[in-house]
Amino acid sequence: MTASCLVQTIASGSERLIRTGVTYIVRAMCRSVALFIVLSALFVASTATVALEPVALETGGASRVVEVIDGDTVLLEDGREVRLVGIQAPKLPLGRPGFKTWPLADAAKRALEDLALGRTVRLAFGGRQMDRHGRALAHLYDTVDDRWIQEAMLARGLARVYSFPDNRAMVSEMLALEREARDAGRGIWSDPFYEILTPEEAADAIDSFQLVEGRVLEAAIVRGRGYLNFGEDHRADFTLYIDPESRRRFEAAGIDIESLSGMQIRVRGWLKSYNGPEIELTHPEQLELLGD
């Protein structure tokens, strides 16, 4: 074999070897990419399944409603007094001295009477089952048509969402019902008493449960505590406060407190006075993100 033929043979063999090696690498890469895609799809599917699973409510038996106390409280034949968990209807005085009837409180009571009085309802629990007054904290369902009573009250605009960190089941669904009724101007949402406040208006509503909507000027974590400020003066302007334990609930829900700077948000809770008007956030459902 001549030198030129030998060189050509070696070159040809090298080319085949290189092509084979490249083909092997490409095929291996394709297999890896395919495996990654499959695993990713499985992960997304499993995540979606978890997210879409219905909330598991614990059954609390059934009984007939013998009295409607106000728009969110009933008395059952078995002696239990039930507070419809997750909502707040307009309030009646109910013997409280100096307490003024809220607008549409009578309408809310009549609506609940229409929905529940004389009917057998089943109770379902999604968190703490009894409040400090000894009332059962339950979702109510008509045993005849399985109508969810909280849903009906919110849809009529005769209640608003009122949640707690130890009772958060079904709150997302209830917030959607509230928004739809508010957008349609039903019930309380046509009355100025229940208007969503601006941060500047919050100081005039201390010691009341309110919805406040505005843009976060500054978000910060100081010694583990979260602060959302809506004005330049931290000692006078509206502020949201999140303690370390509550922060963990927000983080578990994928909400980074510091990333909320500049965001338009809607928040609900009891307004207190501490270096200006303040609402303490204890769970993510109090906070609705409205955009940049």
Side-chain angles (χ1 to χ4, degrees):
M1 180 181 294
T2 63
S4 61
C5 289
L6 179 60
V7 170
Q8 185 175 359
T9 300
I10 292 172
S12 177
S14 299
E15 184 180 352
R16 283 195 301 273
L17 182 60
I18 291 169
R19 282 202 304 268
T20 301
V22 169
T23 301
Y24 175 82
I25 292 170
V26 170
R27 286 176 178 171
M29 290 175 65
C30 288
R31 284 195 297 270
S32 298
V33 170
L35 179 60
F36 174 78
I37 291 171
V38 170
L39 290 175
S40 298
L42 289 173
F43 174 76
V44 170
S46 64
T47 304
T49 300
V50 171
L52 293 174
E53 283 180 353
V55 176
L57 298 177
E58 183 179 342
T59 183
S63 186
R64 189 170 64 91
V65 176
V66 295
E67 182 183 350
V68 171
I69 296 171
D70 62 12
D72 53 36
T73 314
V74 301
L75 183 65
L76 302 181
E77 192 172 36
D78 63 13
R80 285 182 291 179
E81 186 174 325
V82 180
R83 173 72 166 79
L84 276 68
V85 71
I87 66 171
Q88 181 195 62
K91 294 297 179 188
L92 293 165
L94 299 179
R96 288 172 285 192
F99 189 99
K100 294 182 179 180
T101 300
W102 293 8
L104 294 172
D106 291 318
K109 181 181 179 181
R110 288 194 300 271
L112 189 53
E113 287 173 339
D114 177 57
L115 292 164
L117 187 59
R119 299 173 183 269
T120 299
V121 295
R122 64 178 178 86
L123 283 65
F125 300 109
R128 184 161 62 98
Q129 297 188 8
M130 189 173 292
D131 69 8
R132 60 191 176 91
H133 304 293
R135 300 176 299 185
L137 299 171
H139 295 273
L140 292 186
Y141 297 83
D142 190 317
T143 57
V144 174
D145 57 11
D146 209 38
R147 176 168 49 183
W148 180 23
I149 305 300
Q150 275 93 329
E151 176 184 19
M153 291 296 292
L154 288 165
R156 295 184 185 192
L158 291 172
R160 52 187 174 180
V161 177
Y162 185 60
S163 58
F164 294 87
D166 57 2
N167 233 317
R168 299 161 58 192
M170 311 296 288
V171 175
S172 295
E173 293 87 342
M174 290 189 284
L175 285 169
L177 290 162
E178 181 197 274
R179 281 194 296 271
E180 197 275 332
R182 186 170 57 245
D183 290 344
R186 297 193 202 109
I188 65 174
W189 305 113
S190 64
D191 193 294
F193 185 85
Y194 303 97
E195 282 184 352
I196 297 175
L197 304 181
T198 66
E200 294 73 26
E201 294 168 331
D204 297 325
I206 299 298
D207 292 328
S208 66
F209 181 84
Q210 298 291 340
L211 276 65
V212 182
E213 188 175 309
R215 188 172 301 279
V216 178
L217 180 65
E218 178 187 22
I221 304 296
V222 181
R223 297 187 182 91
R225 298 170 175 83
Y227 295 90
L228 301 178
N229 299 310
F230 290 76
E232 297 284 355
D233 188 348
H234 299 171
R235 294 188 175 276
D237 294 323
F238 177 58
T239 301
L240 302 177
Y241 165 73
I242 309 99
D243 70 22
E245 181 181 354
S246 300
R247 266 189 62 209
R248 288 190 283 273
R249 295 190 189 102
F250 282 84
E251 289 167 358
I255 300 174
D256 175 15
I257 297 299
E258 290 181 299
S259 72
L260 299 179
S261 182
M263 291 284 289
Q264 184 80 8
I265 67 171
R266 181 185 304 125
V267 64
R268 69 189 61 222
W270 282 89
L271 275 164
K272 300 297 181 182
S273 180
Y274 184 81
N275 291 332
E278 176 185 274
I279 289 178
E280 181 177 358
L281 298 183
T282 60
H283 55 292
E285 289 81 0
Q286 286 177 272
L287 182 68
E288 296 174 81
L289 306 181
L290 306 179
D292 296 330

